Structure formats: structure tokens, C-alpha cells
Amino acid sequence: MNKILSSVLVAGMLLSVGVSTSFAMGGASGSHVNYHKQGQIGETVVNPYGIAPLTAVIKNGGYVLKDVSVEIVPKKDGQTISYKVSNKNLLTHGGIPIFGLYPDYLNEVKVSYTRVYGNKEEKINETYKIFTAPLYNEVAGIDMQKSTFFTKAEVKKLDSKFKDRLYFVNNIVEKSGVGTKVVWNNPMGGALEWNYYPRNFIIDTTGEVRWYMLPSKIYDLETIYQAGVMMGFKQNNDGLLSFGYGQRYAKYDILGREAFNRRLPANYNDFSHSMDDADNGHFFIRAASSNLKRLDGKHVRTVRDVIVEVDEAGTVVDEWRLFDILDPYRDTVLKSLDQGAVCLNIDASKAGQTMSAEELAKLDESDKFGDILGSGPGRNWVHVNSIDYDPADDSIIISSRHQSAIIKIGRDKKVKWILGASAGWKDKFKNAILTPVDNKGKKLNCNENGVCQNTNFDFTWTQHTAFKIDEKSKGDIIYVSAFDNGDGRGMEQPAIPSMKYSRMVVYKINQKKMTVEQVWEWGKERENSLYSPVTSLTEYQSDKDSLMGYFATAGTVFDFKTGAFLSEPNPTIVEFEWGKTKPSVEIQLFDTTGYQAWPFSIEKAFSK
């Protein structure tokens, strides 16, 4: 009787604490599990790391898997995504990584694998059904925003050679009241003054979203060290994504697994725009100085003017202090810029206005510092928006928006060459300025403001992304691509704003003779329709011998009289076969503010 009573009491206690449920799921009662399994291995886990909802992992179920391939069955007239999975990916994720699912859809996924159990190997082909949630993104609560991602993507041109393309798009949601609460140097702030919620996604060539980031686990608009603008995305050679935001720089795989997510080293602040990787695992980060003592004795936080090199452990190994290397008081370009569009600090009420020499001089004498257009350390005098490390001579190539110049600087911190108009440079830089020539090497007739006669050659103006094209370069002859935004062209504002245009451009530079030849351009023929006052990209793609462009802020509509924006931009993706002047791909997005875009490689992500 006592034994029976004891058993009843023990059972009651177990039930009261829910232990029986735990046992049924695989505790002391045995190895039974009660989650749903579709196939002959393990369970399916959607969004396995919490930031990539259109990914999944089919767990290995305790087996060893090899020879794995995946196919996401497309919708009608859709794009098939298929790939092989490397052993390191199978081991890292504990199963088969699934990428490219459609949102809000019961996806059909075909997998093929060899299952190893003891001495037995079995080849298995099976199909899984994986449902995903609808797309989601935070909203700004403003009348311009019409959807959480974009209204639609219109595919205007697609040649068969590019049908397998996937484009990674790094965009942002417009500012909201949630994320505009922090400033560094009153009345203006640093990277958190323009604090925009991320809008990062991958589209296929039918315009369907096949991946997006849900960043809430790693991002918080209201927290200084978890916010900022996510920018500088790049797919490294190991297939992982590197990027930064605000006071952080990070590296993740496409399923959302963290490799690292670090605070900037204490000596630096305000990441934005660019982060380049080197073959030795080092990163070159565009940041600023946390505390600079100027020659006049004033302490300032600087703005977008320091390049920091860190090793794999995050240790700083070198820095390029551009306020020491270049001339932070060269204001020639600053006086010609449209005050309504200073990168992401866009103020439509100032559209078409420029800053006079008197206004700049008055600002220089003041204690007004921060992310404002002006000369001298502590102001936005150089605005570097891309870094490209060149291992051929251990140098960096930078794009400086506010100097309208592409500049190469060596490890010794000496300027090797400057691609830009000659006006305003001090004597010590004069020998570094490249001379424009035609295809026969004859010097072109260009004045100091960069206006050239009887030629199609033009410099870049407020450009973004200056990248060396390694595959086309040899020795002292190098090719450099750039996105020429086109503000302040020829050191002046046009009579009518609609005369502005943006273009993609490729230059051939003879580093020994110190000459530059323009060998390709596109965009001028579209006139103002693709004008992108800020952001954007041009980059060579070796896999298809092509040039890819993103006109990221084209199609913005605003009222010049009231200074009010009437719409978000309508960016355009284009891709050209090398040397061609008609695009093989043209895809327009609607109602989304763009930063950069580039082709995403499934092979790098999963097969290597």
C-alpha cells in the first residue's frame, strides 16, 4: 500500500512540474522526439539564427551527410535556385543549409544527399515543403513610405547570360522619430544622426525577394552601440558577408550565423560607407577619430576621414589619417556642392544652394563641428565613401565625395596619384595629379576646374565607389571603375537642376606616366532620369566579365518650392557585358531608398 501511495505521489509531483512532458520529448524515458519530420534525416528549422527568415536548415538527424545538392523549385515562370553544399557548411550548420525561399509561401525544396550510417551509405533524393512568413520591415510612419520593402521590381531587360543572377540590395528605411535621438557634436551629430533602419534583401531576375535580413537580434535604433546605418556590405572570398553600422563592424554568413560583431576600436568612431577585406584576413574600415587635437588646440571628433586596418582578431595594425595626409582645408569642391544633397544628410529645402567662400570662412573660424559640409578636421571635408586595398603595391584607393577625387595612397602615407580636377591642390600634390589623355596618349585640353574641350572625357563629381579592376590591370597599367554621381560637375551648379546626370565610368591609368584615359561610360544618355545625387555603385564582375551599376537614388521626386520630398527613390540595377554600351540587365525598384547593390554568389556561400 505504501509503495502504491509513493508511486502515486511521485507521479503527481512529476506531472505538477511538467517533467512527464520533458520525458516524452526525449528525456529519461528514451530517445523519442515529437517534432515534425518530413524526410529521412532530421527536423527543419526555419530562420536558424534569427536574422534571415527566408533560410532554413534541414538537420542531419544524427547521420553523416555528404554529396549534398539543393534546388528551390521556382514559382511559375520563376527563377530556379540550386547549389551544392560543401562539407564545411554541412558540419557548421549541423545539416543542409536552405537558401532562396519565397516569402509567405509553401516552398518546395528538392534535396539530394548521401546518408552515412556506420558502414552503410545510402543515396537519397527527397522533397521538403517549407512554409515561410510574409516579408517584414520596420516602418518610419511617414506618408512617403508605401510598403515595408518596395512596391514592386520591374524587370525591363534581361539577357539569357544573366538569368541566374541574384542581386544583394543594401537599402534603408527613411528616418523615423525612433532613431533620431543621438548627436555627437551639437548641433550636428555623427553616424547616429542619420540613423536609418536597415532594408537589406536579395532579389532574383524576376524581381522576387529570395532573402532578407530581419536585424532585430543585432540592431536597435535606440541604442548607441547597436544602431546606425548598415552599409559597406561585401561578400568576402570565403562567402561570408562583412559590413558595418554606427559604432560596429561585423561578419555573418548568409544564414545569419555570426563570425564576429565588434565595437569599433576605442580610438575610432562612426563607421559608414565602406569596409574592404584583404586576402590575409585584414579589414580596411572607413571610420573617424574619436578624439583629435587640432593644431589650434581644439579637441574634435572627426568625420569620415580615417581608414583603419584591423587584423582577424580586431587588433588595429595601421591607420590612414587623411587630415594629415591630404589637405583638409581644400574647399574648392565644397563651394560648388548642392547643399540639398550631402550624402544621406539630404535637405530638399536647400536644393540647388551652394556655400560661398565667405560662409565657409566664417564656419572655419567657428566652433561648429560635426557632420556638416565644411573644411578642416571635425567637419565633413573629405567624405570618403569607398576603400579598395591594392595588394600589388600595398596601397589603398579611396573615393572622396567632397574633394570629387579618387586618390591612391601608399603604406608610407604618401599620395601616389589623384584622379580629379587640379584646382585648389597645394603644390606638394601637383605632381600626383593625373593628366587626362586620349587613346593615343595625347594630352587633352582640360582647365583647372575639370572642364575638358573636344572630348568625351570627364572627371568624376561627388562620386561613389572607386574600385581597381584587378582582372583587367597589369603592372603599371590599371583600370578603375567609379560611379560618377555628377553633382558640382565642372565646379558649378547647372542653370536648371534637371540638367544633372549620373554615369558609370571606367578609367585606364598609367601609373608610371601619370596619365588617365576614359575608356567607357554609360548613363549620360539617360540624362536626368537616372540622376542619383547620393550613394550608388559601379563594380566589375569577373564571373561574367561584366560591369554592374546601381543608380540608388534615382527617381526621387521633391518640390523645389517647399523643399518637401514627395516620394522615395526608384533605384535602377543595370549590368553590362564588358565594353558594351547597352545593358544586358535593367531592373527598376520602386519606393525604396538605395545605397548599394551587387551580384550575390551562391557558389561562394555554399559550395566552397
Side-chain angles (χ1 to χ4, degrees):
M1 183 69 179
N2 288 337
K3 290 183 178 179
I4 295 173
L5 181 59
S6 297
S7 299
V8 170
L9 288 172
V10 170
M13 290 171 64
L14 292 174
L15 286 170
S16 69
V17 298
V19 175
S20 61
T21 304
S22 299
F23 286 172
M25 292 179 67
S29 61
S31 60
H32 171 71
V33 291
N34 67 355
Y35 47 73
H36 183 70
K37 287 174 57 180
Q38 295 189 50
Q40 299 183 52
I41 44 178
E43 71 275 25
T44 301
V45 180
V46 177
N47 194 11
Y49 301 100
I51 65 172
L54 301 185
T55 68
V57 173
I58 301 171
K59 291 295 186 175
N60 59 33
Y63 299 98
V64 173
L65 304 180
K66 64 180 186 179
D67 304 326
V68 176
S69 60
V70 176
E71 179 185 325
I72 312 299
V73 178
K75 294 180 179 179
K76 183 181 179 182
D77 299 323
Q79 181 176 331
T80 300
I81 290 179
S82 60
Y83 53 92
K84 296 183 182 300
V85 183
S86 67
N87 187 57
K88 70 177 184 181
N89 271 286
L90 295 169
L91 295 174
T92 298
H93 298 292
I96 303 174
I98 305 300
F99 161 86
L101 301 171
Y102 291 99
D104 195 18
Y105 187 71
L106 184 61
N107 291 267
E108 187 174 325
V109 180
K110 295 180 179 180
V111 294
S112 172
Y113 57 90
T114 297
R115 187 179 69 176
V116 182
Y117 184 52
N119 295 323
K120 182 181 179 181
E121 292 191 3
E122 187 177 4
K123 185 68 176 178
I124 298 172
N125 297 292
E126 53 187 7
T127 299
Y128 285 74
K129 297 291 184 70
I130 303 176
F131 181 74
T132 52
L135 295 172
Y136 176 77
N137 208 228
E138 295 291 340
V139 296
I142 57 176
D143 55 358
M144 284 193 302
Q145 190 172 353
K146 300 179 179 65
S147 68
T148 56
F149 271 78
F150 49 87
T151 304
K152 62 178 180 176
E154 181 182 344
V155 181
K156 296 183 175 181
K157 178 75 180 297
L158 180 63
D159 290 351
S160 58
K161 178 180 177 179
F162 295 85
K163 281 189 175 180
D164 61 343
R165 272 290 191 231
L166 295 170
Y167 292 104
F168 188 104
V169 182
N170 172 202
N171 283 4
I172 57 175
V173 176
E174 290 296 326
K175 279 184 181 178
S176 71
V178 177
T180 53
K181 300 177 180 179
V182 179
V183 297
W184 293 132
N185 301 303
N186 286 318
M188 303 299 290
L192 282 183
E193 186 200 5
W194 37 286
N195 189 17
Y196 300 73
Y197 194 81
R199 183 187 268 167
N200 304 311
F201 54 94
I202 293 174
I203 60 169
D204 64 21
T205 54
T206 71
E208 291 271 8
V209 174
R210 307 299 294 269
W211 178 94
Y212 76 100
M213 178 187 286
L214 186 64
S216 54
K217 287 186 70 171
I218 63 172
Y219 186 91
D220 182 356
L221 273 175
E222 297 186 286
T223 303
I224 290 175
Y225 294 109
Q226 298 291 335
V229 183
M230 282 192 181
M231 305 174 90
F233 280 86
K234 182 177 181 181
Q235 188 175 17
N236 304 161
N237 287 333
D238 59 10
L240 276 66
L241 302 174
S242 58
F243 59 97
Y245 53 108
Q247 313 310 314
R248 309 194 74 80
Y249 69 106
K251 188 175 181 180
Y252 287 77
D253 71 20
I254 199 64
L255 266 66
R257 182 186 63 85
E258 178 184 314
F260 63 77
N261 189 325
R262 303 171 179 146
R263 286 261 303 269
L264 290 174
N267 201 36
Y268 311 97
N269 61 273
D270 294 352
F271 168 88
S272 68
H273 289 82
S274 186
M275 176 174 168
D276 191 31
D277 64 314
D279 289 341
N280 63 356
H282 290 200
F283 286 94
F284 295 82
I285 301 168
R286 211 304 329 278
S289 173
S290 294
N291 184 9
L292 172 70
K293 188 173 183 178
R294 293 170 24 130
L295 295 179
D296 59 10
K298 297 175 181 177
H299 287 267
V300 295
R301 296 172 73 100
T302 69
V303 181
R304 301 189 181 93
D305 54 9
V306 178
I307 312 303
V308 185
E309 182 183 0
V310 298
D311 65 16
E312 290 177 294
T315 303
V316 177
V317 297
D318 207 349
E319 64 174 0
W320 283 256
R321 292 156 53 100
L322 298 179
F323 38 77
D324 292 334
I325 298 168
L326 301 175
D327 176 11
Y329 293 96
R330 180 182 182 251
D331 59 9
T332 313
V333 175
L334 301 181
K335 289 180 288 190
S336 68
L337 298 186
D338 188 336
Q339 297 292 296
V342 184
C343 196
L344 293 177
N345 291 334
I346 296 177
D347 182 356
S349 66
K350 295 181 180 179
Q353 299 178 25
T354 57
M355 186 175 284
S356 67
E358 292 76 16
E359 289 172 321
L360 272 172
K362 187 176 180 180
L363 178 62
D364 289 348
E365 295 169 1
S366 74
D367 285 333
K368 188 177 181 182
F369 297 104
D371 191 7
I372 51 178
L373 190 68
S375 60
R379 303 184 183 95
N380 196 351
W381 65 275
V382 67
H383 196 111
V384 174
N385 52 41
S386 78
I387 318 158
D388 188 23
Y389 175 67
D390 185 1
D393 59 2
D394 196 22
S395 300
I396 59 171
I397 297 172
I398 64 170
S399 163
S400 167
R401 182 185 194 272
H402 290 173
Q403 298 296 318
S404 281
I406 299 168
I407 305 167
K408 190 172 195 180
I409 307 171
R411 176 71 66 179
D412 59 2
K413 313 305 182 292
K414 303 296 184 183
V415 174
K416 289 181 175 289
W417 51 254
I418 298 170
L419 173 50
S422 61
W425 291 102
K426 290 183 175 179
D427 288 344
K428 67 177 182 178
F429 299 113
K430 291 291 177 67
N431 289 335
I433 299 172
L434 297 174
T435 299
V437 296
D438 63 17
N439 59 5
K440 295 180 180 178
K442 183 180 178 181
K443 182 180 177 180
L444 298 176
N445 181 18
C446 301
N447 67 23
E448 66 171 7
N449 288 330
V451 178
C452 302
Q453 303 294 326
N454 304 316
T455 177
N456 289 327
F457 180 95
D458 198 0
F459 293 100
T460 57
W461 305 94
T462 63
Q463 78 289 325
H464 282 70
T465 64
F467 299 136
K468 178 188 173 189
I469 304 176
D470 294 324
E471 294 82 356
K472 303 292 182 181
S473 302
K474 186 176 181 180
D476 285 323
I477 307 298
I478 70 169
Y479 289 78
V480 173
S481 66
F483 187 93
D484 175 11
N485 293 81
D487 184 39
R489 195 176 296 281
M491 299 288 189
E492 64 180 8
Q493 290 293 311
I496 304 171
S498 61
M499 295 171 66
K500 294 183 180 183
Y501 62 88
S502 300
R503 65 187 184 128
M504 302 164 62
V505 61
V506 176
Y507 296 104
K508 179 181 178 182
I509 297 173
N510 187 319
Q511 298 181 116
K512 187 175 182 179
K513 293 182 178 181
M514 296 295 287
T515 60
V516 57
E517 175 192 348
Q518 179 179 297
V519 296
W520 184 88
E521 68 171 342
W522 186 85
K524 186 191 300 186
E525 52 270 74
R526 295 290 183 94
E527 300 179 329
N528 190 248
S529 66
L530 288 180
Y531 175 61
S532 296
V534 296
T535 69
S536 307
L537 168 145
T538 301
E539 188 172 22
Y540 177 77
Q541 306 300 321
S542 60
D543 63 332
K544 295 186 186 294
D545 191 26
S546 62
L547 279 166
M548 190 264 176
Y550 189 41
F551 291 75
T553 46
T556 306
V557 179
F558 58 90
D559 189 328
F560 284 100
K561 293 182 180 179
T562 64
F565 285 93
L566 303 179
S567 77
E568 286 194 83
N570 301 301
T572 293
I573 293 170
V574 290
E575 193 163 1
F576 296 78
E577 291 190 65
W578 179 259
K580 299 292 181 65
T581 55
K582 292 185 179 180
S584 295
V585 179
E586 184 170 350
I587 301 174
Q588 185 170 17
L589 311 181
F590 294 87
D591 303 312
T592 180
T593 299
Y595 178 60
Q596 290 183 352
W598 39 266
F600 176 79
S601 170
I602 300 178
E603 182 184 5
K604 279 186 181 181
F606 296 109
S607 302
K608 287 189 173 182

